[in-house]
Amino acid sequence: MNDRLKSLYQTVILTKAKDKKFVGQLESYTHSITAYNPLCGDKYELQIIVEDDVVKSLKYNGSGCSISKASTTVLCEKLEGCNAQQVLSGIAEFMEIVDSDASRNAEEITKNEELLAFAAAREFPERKSCADLSWKELQKQFNQLFPYHSKE
Amino acid sequence: MNDRLKSLYQTVILTKAKDKKFVGQLESYTHSITAYNPLCGDKYELQIIVEDDVVKSLKYNGSGCSISKASTTVLCEKLEGCNAQQVLSGIAEFMEIVDSDASRNAEEITKNEELLAFAAAREFPERKSCADLSWKELQKQFNQLFPYHSKE
Amino acid sequence: MNIKSIKSEFPIFRQKTPAGTDLIYLDSASSTQKPQSVIDSITEFYSSHYANTGRASYWPATESTRQVEQVRKNVQQFIGAKSETEVVFTSGTTDSINKLANSIFNSDLWKGRQIIVSEMEHHANLVPWQIEAERHGLNLVAIPLLDSGELDLVAYKELLEKPTALVAITAISNVLGTINDVNKICRLAKAVGAITFVDAAQLAPYAGVNVEYLCCDFLSFSGHKLYGPTGIGVLYGKQDLLNQLPPFAFGGGMITEVDIEGSSFRDSPFRHEAGTLNIAGIIGLGAAIDFVEEVGFETIQSHEDELTIDLLNRLADIEGLKILGEQDRRGPLISFTIDGLHPHDLSTYLNESGICVRAGHHCAQPLMKKYQIPASTRVSFGVYNDMNDVEQFIKALKGAYEFFL
Amino acid sequence: MNIKSIKSEFPIFRQKTPAGTDLIYLDSASSTQKPQSVIDSITEFYSSHYANTGRASYWPATESTRQVEQVRKNVQQFIGAKSETEVVFTSGTTDSINKLANSIFNSDLWKGRQIIVSEMEHHANLVPWQIEAERHGLNLVAIPLLDSGELDLVAYKELLEKPTALVAITAISNVLGTINDVNKICRLAKAVGAITFVDAAQLAPYAGVNVEYLCCDFLSFSGHKLYGPTGIGVLYGKQDLLNQLPPFAFGGGMITEVDIEGSSFRDSPFRHEAGTLNIAGIIGLGAAIDFVEEVGFETIQSHEDELTIDLLNRLADIEGLKILGEQDRRGPLISFTIDGLHPHDLSTYLNESGICVRAGHHCAQPLMKKYQIPASTRVSFGVYNDMNDVEQFIKALKGAYEFFL
Ligand SMILES: Cc1ncc(COP(=O)(O)O)c(C=O)c1O
Ligand SMILES: Cc1ncc(COP(=O)(O)O)c(C=O)c1O
């Protein structure tokens, strides 16, 4: 297969899409967030425990393409244990990585391989909404929950 | 001016448009008919006295272009004194004269110079609705008044 | 026009895709490509006799008005209507249905009756009725689907036992491909005095339309799915019904008399066509109808059927692939799902080979919910497709299996 | 682009009329002719990257979607909107106003308030409000005209003393040519909490549009009067207002979730754009905006003003000819009547010299009644007109006097 595709679906994404570590339900949670793309039908329910401004635990359920699935897994991986400010800056970083209009190269933003894998979305603008589906929704909710951390 | 225009507006039409013989109000009448073209604003009110199935008298009032005015004058001239059947066949004849889709030449339909003047409307289909405005409305009303004469 | 060489009539196929491949366009159910004759008709119109219509007494307005009214007559003949006054130009199927739905329930007479749609409707033939049902106190009910992907006509007959205002049904499902027995559905509806509307968006480009045979009161289709321009569609309605309906919109050209206090309106079709029409769209629609009639619907159908049957056969062998619907009568489209391979990933993969398929819910969420799937992949055919397209698609599909699974 | 040679950009002027003359097109207020760049943009679009929009993940759909959203941004800049989400594509001004009027009075809150229009409105900016006023129990009132052809702003201020829901006003009268002080009218309306709508159909091609300067909540114009294609228009609305309004129509692309029982909808602009858009129309509108911006509105205005003033001066000398309106600020159009010479006869006469003028009530019957005339003749200018057009027109007008009077 051609290189463009390979770079989009490199092992990170195909692996993370199949990774079941964060798939499931939490017994109890403080926040539940639904990330839904009405145009393609991808839909995830994120359950989160936030304690003292810190994301203690995350799980998700739902269905979607391998890009949205992998990005939701990586979201859980990266944000577990972060405080509100770290969550928001982590999200902002991710959004910049997938944004084809961003001024910085993805490599200037992060060295993390798993995050960098999503930079290929810059080449496929129509798949950007898959890559940032869960991140965008989480950002929206966090900005409402913690307006004092939000810069918007 | 060019021949097409001359033939459309030949003396008959320009003269009949200025002819005031039938312009005015009847003191009393049996029928009043409004002929109106919403697209261009031409509007005539025809007052008619029908007695024993015969059109005894007609007058009209209103405004419009020279073609619709002339045709209303000629309508009054030609139909005064006609019985219902003659009115309807007179109208049908006129409608055929101005119809560019008609199979007969205008000259085959009538020898009457004043009616033939309107045959030029065949060359100007966008002005047909001026030529037959009053005739068409009268036909509609007569078909309702005298359904037994109507062939439609 | 020979169906074997018809692709050459469509300029878009003359170029390569950005991936460097031929364009293999398998999404005609969403919108069809345009033949040269349709494109030229628009160019020619704007270049040679463009003007607003509506009886201005100068050339080129006289010519553009004549052409528009000529297309109206051509549409009349194309759909088998009794009179050209039964043909209302709209901007598409969605526009047609919204206007009809918005105008038709204009009294309290309808309260408590039901509107019947089906579980396989496109959102365009569902949501407008839903909204109006709520607004005017009607009940919206849906004819259920059999497992085969066909409508349950026994259940439909039971539904009809309750007072029914209107039945709105698609002639061909844009997801399952099911060809509904519209004639029967409409006759049953007529028998209980219900008004009937047929969504012919998918039927028109495949088999043409005959409103008399379909036995419906109203019907609609879109130009852009019939090899014609965007922004133009048709709403057919029986003449007396169209004349009774309040105007769909208000503005220039549809008016008899206006005062600040009130207004009166012309008869159909002008009554329902407010403002400047999509004149070039109408001209292009005329050219599109000429095009499909020249090819001939017998040719179109048998050509597309051949492709559909071939693809069905080839897909049957593929492991983990499930085709939606197993009905007998099917239009030129097939939707399917693959275990573990999401439609969007497949579509992105196929795009790298220049192959265009649709992935998603196809604007038919109730149907997707019925099948308990969030999305599917759809392949649909137009006149320009050929066996090579099917082959390339199958080849790429197998590549996707290797890549993702 | 040089205004002196701009006619050559418009292919329609390359041919002779059926009368054998050059085409002298003086009806741009009804619809403008199309430059080559606009025609080419449509041809090129259909020939090279046509597909339905809405995020299908294949080329050419990705390209057509990108282009449509690019035009949305261009329109945003063209009208000075804050965000491209404030730009809703419609099929024209009439469609925009009907959709807005149909959607905006969706609660009983509005009952008993008034809608203010003016006596010079086009039917499109009058009748939809009339209908909705009646439906929802509002009063429709009209700002009266002064003898000069200007709005009576003193009377307007008095009208505003009663509770007012909405003020809908044209920026330029399509009959009188009057340029209204929209900024003032909207600010006065804002001061009493009324919503404002501006009909910019005639303003957009003459001076462009700046919604911030005009100070309005909603505004609309048509592509076909701006050198663009038919079947496309824009409704601008403030973002929060557009998001609060119930969707204008229902169907594909505007939906979040659908069940048979109910549906939920996306945010503006998608919320208000149901179904397949007039995609080629949008592309053509983009090319039209590029065209007028390349020429420049300063150039367009001064060019058209020059023609208008010249024609006004020449008409002043002609016996029995009465110009409608004697206002100071006038757009590029003049309406007049001639004692004893009916506009339709004049128009037919002029047509034989290849001259196109409009005769009739210009879809503004209340205005015509105010002036107590059934019809008038209107001459209006576009970028392609020149002094020779004015001269030919005057010459032919004198011929008409001889012929008819
Ligand atoms: C069955 C059906 N109905 C309605 C529509 C809507 O058509 P349009 O988008 O042209 O308004 C479509 C097209 O997607 C369709 O397939
Ligand atoms: C002032 C004004 N408003 C509205 C319209 C209606 O525009 P459209 O026919 O493009 O919908 C026109 C055009 O005739 C106009 O001049």
Side-chain angles (χ1 to χ4, degrees):
Chain A
M1 239 308 122
N2 74 26
D3 291 345
R4 255 165 60 93
L5 260 190
K6 278 219 189 91
S7 82
L8 179 63
Y9 286 111
Q10 54 187 297
T11 10
V12 175
I13 288 189
L14 290 180
T15 314
K16 291 289 170 195
K18 286 173 193 155
D19 189 338
K20 297 272 178 281
K21 202 166 97 198
F22 292 94
V23 174
Q25 315 265 5
L26 290 174
E27 274 187 20
S28 69
Y29 49 85
T30 57
H31 299 91
S32 157
I33 292 170
T34 303
Y36 175 51
N37 182 344
L39 287 175
C40 63
D42 287 8
K43 194 176 198 170
Y44 298 97
E45 202 208 330
L46 274 159
Q47 297 176 342
I48 312 180
I49 302 177
V50 182
E51 272 175 33
D52 305 328
D53 268 26
V54 171
V55 173
K56 292 283 179 198
S57 187
L58 305 95
K59 286 265 183 207
Y60 76 89
N61 246 308
S63 70
C65 62
S66 53
I67 297 176
S68 63
K69 227 180 235 162
S71 101
T72 307
T73 302
V74 170
L75 176 152
C76 294
E77 230 166 58
K78 296 299 165 215
L79 301 186
E80 205 173 33
C82 290
N83 64 28
Q85 200 153 12
Q86 289 167 328
V87 166
L88 285 167
S89 68
I91 294 174
E93 200 178 279
F94 184 85
M95 302 297 262
E96 196 181 347
I97 291 169
V98 298
D99 181 5
S100 60
D101 292 334
S103 54
R104 291 196 291 175
N105 284 336
E107 287 77 11
E108 299 173 55
I109 303 167
T110 184
K111 301 271 171 280
N112 184 302
E113 293 274 309
E114 283 167 2
L115 293 174
L116 278 175
F118 292 91
R122 292 185 175 197
E123 296 289 303
F124 295 79
E126 73 279 7
R127 302 303 301 275
K128 181 178 173 238
S129 59
C130 309
D132 68 9
L133 178 60
S134 302
W135 296 79
K136 209 166 162 182
E137 193 58 38
L138 187 65
Q139 185 180 45
K140 207 163 109 190
Q141 301 293 330
F142 254 74
N143 280 335
Q144 282 170 9
L145 288 174
F146 305 99
Y148 42 96
H149 289 304
S150 153
K151 282 177 219 133
E152 286 200 323
Chain B
M1 241 304 122
N2 74 27
D3 291 344
R4 256 165 60 92
L5 260 191
K6 277 219 190 92
S7 81
L8 179 64
Y9 286 111
Q10 53 188 299
T11 12
V12 175
I13 289 188
L14 290 181
T15 313
K16 291 289 170 195
K18 286 174 193 155
D19 190 337
K20 297 271 178 279
K21 202 167 98 197
F22 290 95
V23 174
Q25 316 263 6
L26 292 174
E27 273 186 22
S28 68
Y29 47 85
T30 58
H31 300 90
S32 157
I33 293 169
T34 304
Y36 175 50
N37 183 344
L39 288 174
C40 63
D42 287 8
K43 195 176 199 170
Y44 298 97
E45 201 207 333
L46 273 159
Q47 297 177 341
I48 312 181
I49 302 175
V50 181
E51 271 175 35
D52 306 328
D53 268 27
V54 171
V55 174
K56 293 283 179 195
S57 188
L58 306 94
K59 288 262 183 209
Y60 77 89
N61 246 308
S63 71
C65 63
S66 53
I67 296 175
S68 63
K69 226 180 234 165
S71 102
T72 308
T73 302
V74 170
L75 177 151
C76 295
E77 230 166 59
K78 295 300 165 213
L79 300 185
E80 204 173 36
C82 291
N83 65 29
Q85 200 153 13
Q86 290 166 328
V87 166
L88 285 167
S89 67
I91 295 174
E93 200 179 279
F94 184 85
M95 302 297 262
E96 197 181 347
I97 290 170
V98 298
D99 181 5
S100 60
D101 293 334
S103 53
R104 291 194 290 175
N105 284 335
E107 287 76 11
E108 298 172 54
I109 301 166
T110 184
K111 300 272 170 279
N112 184 304
E113 293 274 308
E114 285 167 1
L115 293 174
L116 278 175
F118 291 90
R122 292 185 175 197
E123 297 288 303
F124 294 80
E126 73 279 7
R127 301 304 300 276
K128 182 177 172 240
S129 59
C130 309
D132 67 10
L133 178 60
S134 303
W135 295 79
K136 211 167 163 181
E137 194 57 38
L138 187 64
Q139 185 180 46
K140 206 162 110 191
Q141 301 292 332
F142 254 74
N143 280 334
Q144 284 169 9
L145 289 174
F146 305 99
Y148 42 97
H149 289 304
S150 154
K151 280 176 221 136
E152 286 201 321
Chain C
M1 237 174 293
N2 189 328
I3 194 87
K4 298 279 173 218
S5 60
I6 212 162
K7 210 171 205 162
S8 66
E9 303 281 335
F10 291 79
I12 198 164
F13 295 112
R14 281 183 215 144
Q15 39 164 13
K16 298 287 176 195
T17 70
T21 68
D22 285 339
L23 175 65
I24 298 179
Y25 186 76
L26 298 171
D27 196 18
S28 294
S30 171
S31 198
T32 53
Q33 296 299 337
K34 317 305 172 202
Q36 194 67 53
S37 62
V38 166
I39 302 173
D40 286 350
S41 71
I42 297 167
T43 310
E44 147 83 8
F45 177 64
Y46 281 136
S47 305
S48 309
H49 28 251
Y50 176 74
N52 213 332
T53 55
R55 309 235 188 136
S57 43
Y58 60 76
W59 183 93
T62 45
E63 179 59 17
S64 72
T65 305
R66 192 192 65 72
Q67 290 193 11
V68 163
E69 293 313 314
Q70 184 58 50
V71 174
R72 202 189 294 279
K73 284 192 194 121
N74 295 354
V75 171
Q76 175 208 336
Q77 281 161 18
F78 177 66
I79 64 174
K82 286 216 180 72
S83 155
E84 71 262 25
T85 60
E86 300 185 322
V87 175
V88 178
F89 290 118
T90 66
S91 63
T93 303
T94 304
D95 186 42
S96 298
I97 302 175
N98 275 275
K99 282 177 169 160
L100 179 62
N102 202 304
S103 169
I104 203 167
F105 303 115
N106 48 67
S107 83
D108 281 344
L109 271 179
W110 304 100
K111 216 169 188 155
R113 299 193 184 208
Q114 53 182 11
I115 300 173
I116 302 181
V117 295
S118 87
E119 279 186 354
M120 62 164 81
E121 297 309 315
H122 188 282
H123 294 164
N125 196 30
L126 167 57
V127 188
W129 302 117
Q130 207 171 51
I131 298 292
E132 296 302 325
E134 192 166 334
R135 186 173 293 165
H136 297 283
L138 291 89
N139 294 319
L140 185 85
V141 296
I143 309 173
L145 272 182
L146 299 170
D147 287 341
S148 64
E150 290 162 305
L151 291 179
D152 183 344
L153 293 189
V154 177
Y156 172 54
K157 280 180 205 160
E158 276 165 28
L159 286 177
L160 280 177
E161 284 166 15
K162 290 205 190 142
T164 302
L166 184 138
V167 177
I169 200 84
T170 189
I172 299 185
S173 158
N174 68 312
V175 180
L176 303 172
T178 313
I179 301 178
N180 291 319
D181 190 346
V182 171
N183 169 284
K184 185 166 182 183
I185 291 168
C186 287
R187 277 189 296 111
L188 287 168
K190 287 281 99 184
V192 302
I195 298 169
T196 52
F197 169 80
V198 174
D199 175 351
Q202 296 296 338
L203 178 69
Y206 173 65
V209 167
N210 186 308
V211 293
E212 198 134 341
Y213 170 71
L214 295 174
C215 193
C216 56
D217 296 317
F218 295 98
L219 174 145
S220 180
F221 62 92
S222 298
H224 73 95
K225 290 184 204 275
L226 186 72
Y227 310 99
T230 56
I232 188 72
V234 165
L235 177 71
Y236 157 83
K238 289 221 178 97
Q239 186 160 6
D240 52 335
L241 293 174
L242 280 178
N243 278 335
Q244 283 162 30
L245 287 183
F248 295 157
F250 304 89
M254 49 73 69
I255 270 164
T256 316
E257 191 91 48
V258 178
D259 285 300
I260 296 296
E261 295 76 30
S263 306
S264 55
F265 311 109
R266 294 172 71 193
D267 275 352
S268 180
F270 307 110
R271 174 187 198 75
H272 297 301
E273 295 177 340
T276 301
L277 294 172
N278 184 355
I279 309 171
I282 293 170
I283 302 299
L285 175 63
I289 289 176
D290 289 347
F291 172 79
V292 289
E293 288 188 332
E294 202 180 323
V295 181
F297 278 108
E298 245 174 272
T299 308
I300 294 175
Q301 260 196 58
S302 68
H303 175 69
E304 294 179 359
D305 284 351
E306 208 179 315
L307 298 174
T308 308
I309 290 166
D310 185 55
L311 179 58
L312 274 175
N313 289 338
R314 287 165 184 256
L315 291 179
D317 296 342
I318 296 180
E319 221 190 279
L321 188 148
K322 251 199 314 282
I323 291 169
L324 300 191
E326 39 194 51
Q327 65 286 16
D328 289 333
R329 300 182 61 214
R330 177 191 280 277
L333 63 96
I334 301 170
S335 291
F336 58 86
T337 58
I338 297 171
D339 291 343
L341 177 43
H342 192 276
H344 273 96
D345 293 327
L346 177 58
S347 161
T348 294
Y349 182 93
L350 294 174
N351 177 51
E352 297 295 312
S353 308
I355 299 171
C356 312
V357 299
R358 202 75 176 180
H361 52 57
H362 317 294
C363 297
Q365 289 183 10
L367 181 66
M368 304 310 275
K369 284 174 189 166
K370 170 94 180 180
Y371 278 91
Q372 297 189 318
I373 48 175
S376 74
T377 305
R378 182 184 68 193
V379 171
S380 58
F381 296 113
V383 289
Y384 30 66
N385 292 117
D386 54 28
M387 284 295 177
N388 180 48
D389 294 344
V390 176
E391 237 153 72
Q392 294 302 317
F393 167 72
I394 291 289
K395 208 173 113 192
L397 182 63
K398 289 183 175 159
Y401 265 72
E402 273 173 40
F403 187 79
F404 289 105
L405 298 175
Chain D
M1 236 172 296
N2 189 327
I3 194 86
K4 298 278 174 219
S5 60
I6 212 161
K7 208 171 205 160
S8 67
E9 302 281 335
F10 291 79
I12 198 165
F13 295 111
R14 282 185 213 140
Q15 39 166 11
K16 297 287 176 193
T17 69
T21 67
D22 285 340
L23 176 64
I24 298 179
Y25 186 77
L26 298 171
D27 196 18
S28 293
S30 171
S31 197
T32 53
Q33 296 298 336
K34 316 306 172 200
Q36 194 67 52
S37 62
V38 166
I39 302 173
D40 287 350
S41 72
I42 297 168
T43 310
E44 146 85 8
F45 177 64
Y46 281 136
S47 305
S48 309
H49 27 251
Y50 176 74
N52 212 332
T53 55
R55 307 235 188 137
S57 43
Y58 61 76
W59 182 93
T62 45
E63 179 58 17
S64 72
T65 305
R66 192 192 65 71
Q67 290 194 11
V68 163
E69 293 312 315
Q70 185 57 51
V71 174
R72 202 188 295 278
K73 283 191 196 123
N74 295 354
V75 171
Q76 175 208 336
Q77 281 161 18
F78 177 67
I79 65 174
K82 286 215 179 73
S83 155
E84 71 261 25
T85 60
E86 300 186 320
V87 175
V88 177
F89 290 119
T90 66
S91 63
T93 303
T94 304
D95 186 42
S96 299
I97 302 175
N98 275 275
K99 282 177 168 159
L100 179 62
N102 203 303
S103 169
I104 203 168
F105 303 115
N106 47 69
S107 83
D108 281 345
L109 271 181
W110 304 100
K111 217 169 187 156
R113 299 191 185 210
Q114 52 183 12
I115 301 172
I116 302 181
V117 295
S118 87
E119 278 186 355
M120 63 164 81
E121 297 309 317
H122 188 282
H123 294 165
N125 196 30
L126 167 58
V127 188
W129 304 116
Q130 206 171 52
I131 298 292
E132 297 302 326
E134 192 167 333
R135 186 174 292 164
H136 297 283
L138 292 89
N139 294 320
L140 185 86
V141 295
I143 309 173
L145 273 181
L146 299 170
D147 287 339
S148 65
E150 291 162 305
L151 291 178
D152 182 344
L153 293 188
V154 177
Y156 172 55
K157 280 180 204 158
E158 275 166 28
L159 287 177
L160 280 178
E161 285 166 15
K162 291 206 189 137
T164 302
L166 184 139
V167 176
I169 201 84
T170 190
I172 299 186
S173 158
N174 68 313
V175 180
L176 303 173
T178 313
I179 301 178
N180 291 320
D181 189 345
V182 172
N183 170 283
K184 185 165 183 185
I185 291 169
C186 287
R187 278 190 294 111
L188 287 168
K190 286 281 100 184
V192 302
I195 298 168
T196 51
F197 169 80
V198 174
D199 176 352
Q202 296 296 339
L203 178 70
Y206 172 66
V209 167
N210 185 307
V211 293
E212 198 134 344
Y213 171 70
L214 294 174
C215 192
C216 56
D217 296 317
F218 295 98
L219 174 146
S220 179
F221 63 92
S222 297
H224 73 95
K225 290 186 204 274
L226 187 73
Y227 310 100
T230 56
I232 188 71
V234 165
L235 178 71
Y236 157 82
K238 290 222 177 96
Q239 188 160 3
D240 52 335
L241 294 174
L242 281 178
N243 278 335
Q244 284 162 29
L245 287 183
F248 295 157
F250 304 89
M254 50 73 68
I255 270 164
T256 316
E257 191 92 46
V258 178
D259 286 300
I260 297 294
E261 295 77 28
S263 306
S264 55
F265 311 109
R266 295 172 70 194
D267 275 352
S268 180
F270 306 110
R271 175 187 196 74
H272 296 301
E273 295 178 339
T276 301
L277 294 173
N278 186 355
I279 310 171
I282 294 170
I283 302 300
L285 175 63
I289 289 176
D290 288 348
F291 173 80
V292 289
E293 288 186 332
E294 203 180 323
V295 181
F297 277 110
E298 243 174 274
T299 308
I300 293 176
Q301 260 196 60
S302 70
H303 176 70
E304 293 178 0
D305 284 352
E306 208 179 314
L307 298 174
T308 308
I309 291 167
D310 185 53
L311 179 58
L312 274 176
N313 289 338
R314 287 166 184 254
L315 291 179
D317 295 342
I318 297 181
E319 221 191 278
L321 188 147
K322 253 201 310 283
I323 292 170
L324 300 190
E326 40 195 51
Q327 65 285 18
D328 288 334
R329 299 182 61 215
R330 176 190 282 277
L333 63 96
I334 301 171
S335 293
F336 58 86
T337 58
I338 296 171
D339 291 343
L341 176 43
H342 192 276
H344 274 96
D345 292 326
L346 176 59
S347 162
T348 294
Y349 182 92
L350 294 174
N351 177 51
E352 297 295 312
S353 308
I355 299 171
C356 311
V357 300
R358 202 75 176 179
H361 52 56
H362 317 294
C363 297
Q365 289 183 11
L367 182 65
M368 305 310 274
K369 283 174 190 165
K370 169 95 179 179
Y371 278 91
Q372 297 189 319
I373 49 175
S376 74
T377 304
R378 181 184 68 193
V379 171
S380 58
F381 297 112
V383 288
Y384 30 66
N385 292 117
D386 54 28
M387 284 294 176
N388 180 48
D389 294 343
V390 176
E391 238 154 73
Q392 294 302 318
F393 166 73
I394 292 288
K395 207 174 111 189
L397 181 63
K398 289 183 176 160
Y401 265 71
E402 271 173 42
F403 187 78
F404 289 106
L405 298 175

